[in-house]
Amino acid sequence: MKISNTPSNSSTITGFILLGFPCPREGQILLFGLFSAVYLLTLMGNGSIICAVCWDQRLHTPMYILLANFSFLEIWYVTSTVPNMLANFLSDNKLISFSGCLLQFYFFFSLGSTESFFLAIMAFDRYLAICRPLHYPTLMTGRLCTNLVISCWVLGFLWFLIPVILISQMSFCGSRIIDHFLCDPGPLLALTCKKAPVMELVFSTLTPIPLIILFLFIMGSYALVIKAVLKAPSAAGQRKAFSTCGSHLTVVSLFYGSVVVMYGSPASEHGARMQMTVTLFYSVVTPLLNPIIYSLRNKDMKKALKKLLVRMAIIKKINNQWWPGHGNTYMTENKFHILTEKVLIEEIED
């Protein structure tokens, strides 16, 4: 990335300035507290799903393994933007280095495309489970599930590698002020010293291709699922199938709805504030809502989360009863299991 000399004060700037949400100092502190709480809740919610899937043997199935990977992805997706946003709330210059801007651009869009791939294979998994129930165990094997997960991560991170390399070779002039809270391609390309039609064409092509193809794949999968569910003889079976797929469809609607509004229409149709609002929704709000959606609509997940909370309470009581003040640096495995059973009975009785 090249820095052009300018006659203005901006010639001393060593990176871009992310304006974010301009407001008085008191407002910046309020936003810092708000987004800090959202970030922590997002980490806790998605982390709880990961722990529940890892610790509950009943959830060691392709559906929940994919969900755990999806939650892991959401943690990194929100981490690609929020920590830097929080730092800017307390900063006076709101500066991000050129390399930092490129890294944020790459990870944000790579993780976003990876999320699209994960939503697609999760829809494929539900299609096999509902439309091919007898063949599901032989089709969706552990090996296939692992290969699909690896493919999602690899394809997602390879997809935007070329645009990042091209942007790194471009020259930027002027104030280098980005009216956004992240390094979005629209404001970034507007700061180039000369128009880059090839770069704009590459990005405008690469962005919608996975979104459109994967969205059509998801809709096709669920069209077949709905068709199969409506043919089910029992109403209970229909309710169970719709309950299983409902949470995933809700997440798909939240993600693709906001992304289509953002990138499915010409940039001239929405201003900078609108762009930031929509981007904020699918990059920060959606990762916060996803654990709530999956846990509220799924009985197995709710049971696993309750079991996780009980286990954490047991560990806390064991630490309180045995380690402090007892002088014990060692506990036999037999004593550990006896105390675990005792505390578990107390939790159930409570």
Side-chain angles (χ1 to χ4, degrees), residues 164-308:
V164 169
I165 294 174
L166 292 176
I167 289 179
S168 67
Q169 305 302 315
M170 300 174 72
S171 300
F172 295 87
C173 303
S175 62
R176 292 191 286 278
I177 295 176
I178 298 177
D179 191 8
H180 212 295
F181 64 86
L182 59 84
C183 290
D184 195 66
L188 193 60
L189 292 176
L191 298 178
T192 55
C193 296
K194 59 181 179 179
K195 291 292 183 180
V198 175
M199 185 61 224
E200 293 177 2
L201 178 63
V202 168
F203 191 83
S204 62
T205 303
L206 286 179
T207 299
I209 283 179
L211 293 175
I212 294 172
I213 294 177
L214 294 173
F215 181 72
L216 292 176
F217 178 82
I218 292 170
M219 291 298 100
S221 299
Y222 276 108
L224 295 174
V225 167
I226 292 173
K227 182 180 178 181
V229 169
L230 293 177
K231 291 181 179 179
S234 65
Q238 292 181 353
R239 286 195 300 270
K240 183 178 179 181
F242 280 125
S243 176
T244 303
C245 301
S247 56
H248 185 247
L249 277 174
T250 303
V251 172
V252 170
S253 301
L254 287 173
F255 179 76
Y256 274 96
S258 54
V259 169
V260 167
V261 170
M262 183 66 191
Y263 299 104
S265 58
S268 58
E269 292 187 6
H270 35 72
R273 298 298 104 181
M274 179 63 176
Q275 289 183 20
M276 280 200 293
T277 302
V278 176
T279 305
L280 187 69
F281 183 81
Y282 73 78
S283 64
V284 178
V285 178
T286 301
L288 171 66
L289 297 178
N290 287 349
I292 301 173
I293 295 169
Y294 280 115
S295 60
L296 290 178
R297 299 292 297 271
N298 191 300
K299 293 182 180 179
D300 291 335
M301 182 55 65
K302 284 193 286 188
K303 290 180 181 178
L305 290 173
K306 288 179 181 178
K307 185 177 179 181
L308 175 64

Side-chain angles (χ1 to χ4, degrees), residues 318-335:
I318 289 175
N319 289 334
N320 291 337
Q321 292 180 28
W322 281 89
W323 305 123
H326 286 76
N328 291 334
T329 58
Y330 175 77
M331 180 188 294
T332 65
E333 185 176 353
N334 186 41
K335 285 183 178 180

Side-chain angles (χ1 to χ4, degrees), residues 38-47 49 70-82 108 115 251 254-255 258 278-294:
V38 169
Y39 183 55
L40 291 175
L41 289 173
T42 302
L43 296 183
M44 290 171 59
N46 287 283
I49 289 181
F70 187 77
S71 295
F72 179 74
L73 165 67
E74 293 288 64
I75 289 175
W76 286 107
Y77 192 39
V78 74
T79 301
S80 67
T81 57
V82 174
F108 179 75
E115 181 164 343
V251 172
L254 287 173
F255 179 76
S258 54
V278 176
T279 305
L280 187 69
F281 183 81
Y282 73 78
S283 64
V284 178
V285 178
T286 301
L288 171 66
L289 297 178
N290 287 349
I292 301 173
I293 295 169
Y294 280 115

Side-chain angles (χ1 to χ4, degrees), residues 47-65:
S48 297
I49 289 181
I50 296 171
C51 292
V53 173
C54 290
W55 290 348
D56 195 328
Q57 294 291 332
R58 296 172 302 175
L59 300 185
H60 289 183
T61 61
M63 173 182 171
Y64 292 106
I65 291 173

Side-chain angles (χ1 to χ4, degrees), residues 153-171:
W153 286 102
V154 172
L155 290 174
F157 275 81
L158 287 178
W159 199 261
F160 282 95
L161 193 57
I162 294 177
V164 169
I165 294 174
L166 292 176
I167 289 179
S168 67
Q169 305 302 315
M170 300 174 72
S171 300

Side-chain angles (χ1 to χ4, degrees), residues 104-122:
Q104 186 184 65
F105 172 88
Y106 175 65
F107 280 103
F108 179 75
F109 284 95
S110 295
L111 290 166
S113 59
T114 303
E115 181 164 343
S116 299
F117 284 112
F118 264 107
L119 291 174
I121 64 170
M122 290 167 78

